[in-house]
Amino acid sequence: MKILVADDSHTICTLLRRCLTGAGYDVILAHDGKQAVELAKSELPDLVILDIQMPEMDGYAACEKILAINQQRERLPIIFLTKRDGEHLATLGSEMGAYLQKPVCEETLLSTVRALLSRSSTTSV
């Protein structure tokens, strides 16, 4: 399974890549929203993890463009991983996949990823 991680923090990207590759996932890194959209187009990930505050294009705009590329909203889960907090983020996260607040522990991240990938693979069959 291929996961696209988009975050402008190189430290966060490194930590997420280490965690996810250690669990057996292929990880593609983007350091801004525009790059995330381009990689979503070329790499066709099974799941996307987006920070909200990024240069070039924020996570909200990147999410919309990535979903437009995919055109199968229910099949491409998106996790918003951000320092921001708020009820609207929880609602958006539940609609798109999930919302996790930074810092997130590895167990929470991996269990969320597994659940979303499992759910998306059962709806695509």
Side-chain angles (χ1 to χ4, degrees), residues 111-122:
S111 67
T112 302
V113 166
R114 285 185 198 110
L116 290 173
L117 287 173
S118 173
R119 189 179 324 150
S120 73
S121 68
T122 59

Side-chain angles (χ1 to χ4, degrees), residues 91-120:
T91 302
L92 180 64
S94 67
E95 291 172 3
M96 296 295 136
Y99 155 71
L100 298 174
Q101 194 169 7
K102 292 177 186 175
V104 63
C105 72
E106 286 187 18
E107 295 82 19
T108 301
L109 177 66
L110 290 175
S111 67
T112 302
V113 166
R114 285 185 198 110
L116 290 173
L117 287 173
S118 173
R119 189 179 324 150
S120 73

Side-chain angles (χ1 to χ4, degrees), residues 3-7 12 16 20 27-28 30 36 45 47-51 54 66 77-82 100 109 113:
I3 299 175
L4 171 59
V5 173
D7 198 301
I12 297 289
L16 292 177
L20 294 166
V27 177
I28 308 146
L47 182 138
V48 178
I49 299 174
L50 285 175
D51 184 17
M54 292 185 288
I66 289 168
I78 295 179
I79 298 173
F80 287 101
L81 180 64
T82 183
L100 298 174
L109 177 66
V113 166

Side-chain angles (χ1 to χ4, degrees), residues 14-78:
T14 299
L15 292 171
L16 292 177
R17 180 176 52 203
R18 188 176 300 137
C19 172
L20 294 166
T21 56
Y25 299 106
D26 293 325
V27 177
I28 308 146
L29 298 178
H31 298 290
D32 62 53
K34 185 178 177 186
Q35 187 181 30
V37 172
E38 292 167 1
L39 288 170
K41 214 182 280 188
S42 64
E43 296 290 333
L44 303 173
D46 300 295
L47 182 138
V48 178
I49 299 174
L50 285 175
D51 184 17
I52 291 177
Q53 292 182 287
M54 292 185 288
E56 298 293 324
M57 181 185 302
D58 69 19
Y60 298 122
C63 174
E64 287 301 316
K65 290 186 180 288
I66 289 168
L67 291 175
I69 291 165
N70 189 317
Q71 303 228 348
Q72 297 174 347
R73 290 178 182 255
E74 69 279 359
R75 292 190 185 175
L76 183 63
I78 295 179

